[in-house]
Amino acid sequence: MTLASLGVIIPGIAALYEFGIKGRKRLGYRVQMDTTAMDVVQTPFRGALGDLRKDGVQLTDPTVVLLRIENAGATGIDENDYAAPVKSKAGITVRFPERTVVGMVVTELSNKYLKAYFEDWDELTVGGDTIELPRVQLNKKAHYKVLAVLDRAATATAPLGQYQEPEVSGGIRGGVGQGGIDRTESRTGPPRTLYALIGLLAAIVVAQLFIFVRSDRATPLDCAAGRLTVTGSTAFEPIVREAARSYADLCPDASFSFDMRGSGEGLLTLNEAARRAGGEASTAGLLAFSDGEKPTGMPGLVPRPIAFFLFTIVVNAETGVHDLAQEQIQRIYRGEITNWKEIGGRDLPIRLISRNPGSGTRAAFQHRLLGGRREPGSNSDDCRTRDPGTPPGVVRCARDSTEALLRAVAETPGALGYSELGAAAVRDDLTLVRINGHAAEVIGADHGTYPFWETEFGYTYGEPDARSLAASFLRYLTNQVGADIIRANGDRPCAELANPQLCRPS
């Protein structure tokens, strides 16, 4: 009994510290170099380092600093996590006491998607003794480096070459400790010995639980038994699959199957199942997810707002375009703009890759960006050339899933498409396009500046029994671990919006 108690207490404390405290969102930095460029061994190979100048005047006491900014926790950090005023573009401030900033570059990006955050420095300070860095989305283990050349300030009193270390300030909401930016070491994460201890004692817990479960199969709180078939949105599929795995781990008497063929197909499947059986009882094990509201003619389908779901425009990386006005997007889809060079990009014909009719992502695109106008039909199978017999115009093709669309855009020169944000953000072979100057962020969509979003609804036929697996899983998605999974994918549970009314069905 004592051994079993220790097996529970020690791993619990260790796991709570490592993953509940240290493993939460954690922003870190390292000063990898802070050295003078003058007090050095004089070799014949100094080159430009021996004659550093600004505006033709040689620097008095130049120093070179290399900072590494990193996600040192176990959870992704997005732009809205920075502990800074909403209107401020700065997420981190670096100050160099008694020195002035002469030059600065950002280098060694851990992923190509980070580049877009440093292309616009408006409203950010780089001068005097200060560098302000933007709010950068840092996925797990992501980092970038800042290389700065500094000179002695006119009012400095410290000896030449002897300056205080850089003062790095910033933080994140809900982070470790007080949420500040921490100075990290070259090795992050828990020591291997701690993993070994946790593993050993966790094995004791598992053995004790196995014996307990065999003798008492009581169901955990709010768990439901049975089998649930999930259908509908391919854009929401990664989130719902991850949530279902987590639910099944907690509730072993529950199992899930998936038939994700698009929002429209999922709603039709649910409605047809009820029609064939003549009542809602036959649909107790069927749940449909849709990007946006159901069409008319399905009065028995009951919606539940699940998440505020972000979408993004994506283009092939060779287009040279990073920002599009909504009016430009509409002109492209009307066929009035046919080459990227017409709007500041490269000399490449525009090729449009869409989702098939019935897709919730396509419906959201038409509703939010095309002003309700329907996309023209496809005229190509390979997305590169028009099919024989079709009239001249922009090449248009369609794909039946989010992943298929993203793959086609990445492989097709001049291609433009659209998808949910989470699936696109993890790829480094695509460019995510800002709309009207705004990146795809929850805060922008919540306040009306970013237009491409939709409510993700969970649909049942009629009201399910409160003890059913469908009802329990919907609660899990909005109130428990499922809500964490939604946030980790860049979206938000509806209840967390500044304006929750956005999620309500019309």
Side-chain angles (χ1 to χ4, degrees):
M1 187 68 176
T2 301
L3 186 61
S5 299
L6 289 175
V8 171
I9 295 170
I10 296 177
I13 294 174
L16 177 63
Y17 173 75
E18 286 297 330
F19 304 110
I21 300 176
K22 189 175 179 180
R24 287 185 300 166
K25 293 185 179 182
R26 186 184 185 205
L27 189 61
Y29 75 95
R30 310 181 202 174
V31 181
Q32 296 189 313
M33 179 173 66
D34 188 353
T35 183
T36 179
M38 295 294 288
D39 186 18
V40 297
V41 177
Q42 302 297 324
T43 73
F45 311 108
R46 289 180 299 160
L49 292 175
D51 190 28
L52 292 174
R53 294 173 179 268
K54 181 180 181 183
D55 299 330
V57 179
Q58 187 167 10
L59 302 186
T60 303
D61 185 24
T63 51
V64 179
V65 174
L66 181 65
L67 289 174
R68 173 185 166 115
I69 308 297
E70 60 190 357
N71 182 343
T75 305
I77 298 170
D78 66 27
E79 298 93 323
N80 305 316
D81 289 325
Y82 286 85
V86 173
K87 295 183 179 180
S88 173
K89 292 184 67 174
I92 297 173
T93 301
V94 185
R95 182 175 170 270
F96 303 92
E98 300 198 328
R99 290 186 275 184
T100 60
V101 179
V102 176
M104 183 275 288
V105 294
V106 178
T107 182
E108 197 176 303
L109 305 177
S110 62
N111 194 291
K112 292 181 181 178
Y113 81 86
L114 296 172
K115 182 179 179 181
Y117 290 93
F118 301 101
E119 293 176 342
D120 180 9
W121 286 91
D122 291 348
E123 303 176 25
L124 290 173
T125 298
V126 180
D129 65 353
T130 301
I131 294 174
E132 289 184 335
L133 299 172
R135 301 166 179 255
V136 177
Q137 176 183 322
L138 293 171
N139 295 333
K140 184 179 178 182
K141 297 184 179 179
H143 73 271
Y144 62 90
K145 293 186 179 181
V146 176
L147 179 65
V149 177
L150 311 161
D151 195 15
R152 181 180 180 83
T155 58
T157 60
L160 291 176
Q162 299 180 25
Y163 301 105
Q164 298 179 40
E165 288 196 348
E167 298 175 356
V168 183
S169 59
I172 51 175
R173 299 181 179 93
V176 175
Q178 296 182 350
I181 183 169
D182 298 326
R183 184 161 183 166
T184 57
E185 302 298 332
S186 58
R187 183 183 183 277
T188 59
R192 295 184 181 90
T193 52
L194 183 57
Y195 275 127
L197 176 61
I198 293 175
L200 174 63
L201 295 177
I204 299 174
V205 176
V206 171
Q208 293 290 334
L209 286 176
F210 179 74
I211 296 172
F212 173 77
V213 168
R214 290 192 56 156
S215 61
D216 185 356
R217 294 299 300 270
T219 303
L221 181 65
D222 202 32
C223 276
R227 183 171 184 82
L228 182 65
T229 297
V230 183
T231 184
S233 169
T234 63
F236 198 60
E237 182 175 1
I239 293 176
V240 76
R241 280 185 178 272
E242 185 178 351
R245 285 194 299 269
S246 176
Y247 185 97
D249 289 341
L250 175 67
C251 307
D253 292 330
S255 63
F256 296 82
S257 61
F258 299 89
D259 183 25
M260 314 299 278
R261 292 177 289 167
S263 299
E265 286 288 329
L267 294 175
L268 286 172
T269 298
L270 177 60
N271 196 62
E272 181 64 16
R275 188 194 66 79
R276 286 197 308 265
E280 56 192 70
S282 64
T283 64
L286 185 59
L287 181 62
F289 288 94
S290 173
D291 311 333
E293 295 184 56
K294 65 181 180 180
T296 58
M298 300 181 181
L301 302 192
V302 178
R304 287 165 183 78
I306 302 297
F308 189 74
F309 208 48
L310 289 178
F311 298 89
T312 182
I313 296 292
V314 293
V315 296
N316 182 275
E318 298 177 2
T319 62
V321 171
H322 296 84
D323 198 325
L324 288 171
Q326 187 169 348
E327 185 265 341
Q328 289 176 319
I329 295 170
Q330 293 175 353
R331 290 183 62 202
I332 288 171
Y333 276 83
R334 290 198 300 264
E336 297 171 7
I337 300 174
T338 60
N339 192 297
W340 290 112
K341 68 180 180 180
E342 299 175 47
I343 48 177
R346 297 203 174 109
D347 186 5
L348 285 171
I350 295 175
R351 296 180 170 96
L352 301 179
I353 302 178
S354 304
R355 290 293 306 279
N356 284 327
S359 159
T361 305
R362 175 173 173 143
F365 175 72
Q366 293 174 163
H367 176 209
R368 300 292 177 183
L369 294 187
L370 298 189
R373 183 188 181 100
R374 185 176 176 84
E375 281 190 67
S378 299
N379 60 13
S380 173
D381 290 331
D382 63 7
C383 300
R384 293 173 180 261
T385 57
R386 290 187 299 275
D387 294 338
T390 57
V394 176
V395 170
R396 306 172 187 269
C397 66
R399 293 293 180 262
D400 61 2
S401 70
T402 300
E403 285 303 316
L405 181 143
L406 294 174
R407 185 167 56 252
V409 172
E411 295 172 351
T412 307
L416 178 150
Y418 47 81
S419 84
E420 62 96 4
L421 177 62
V426 298
R427 300 183 68 115
D428 58 8
D429 54 355
L430 295 168
T431 298
L432 276 62
V433 176
R434 294 185 291 269
I435 302 175
N436 299 329
H438 298 281
E441 300 174 356
V442 171
I443 190 169
D446 196 0
H447 289 84
T449 58
Y450 184 78
F452 197 9
W453 59 270
E454 195 53 270
T455 303
E456 189 68 29
F457 290 99
Y459 279 92
T460 57
Y461 191 88
E463 290 290 346
D465 188 296
R467 296 165 296 178
S468 68
L469 179 53
S472 177
F473 185 59
L474 287 170
R475 290 193 295 271
Y476 185 79
L477 271 173
T478 54
N479 300 326
Q480 302 180 38
V481 177
D484 295 331
I485 295 172
I486 290 171
R487 284 190 293 270
N489 280 268
D491 305 297
R492 286 292 184 275
C494 288
E496 297 180 6
L497 296 178
N499 182 14
Q501 298 294 325
L502 290 174
C503 277
R504 288 186 176 275
S506 57

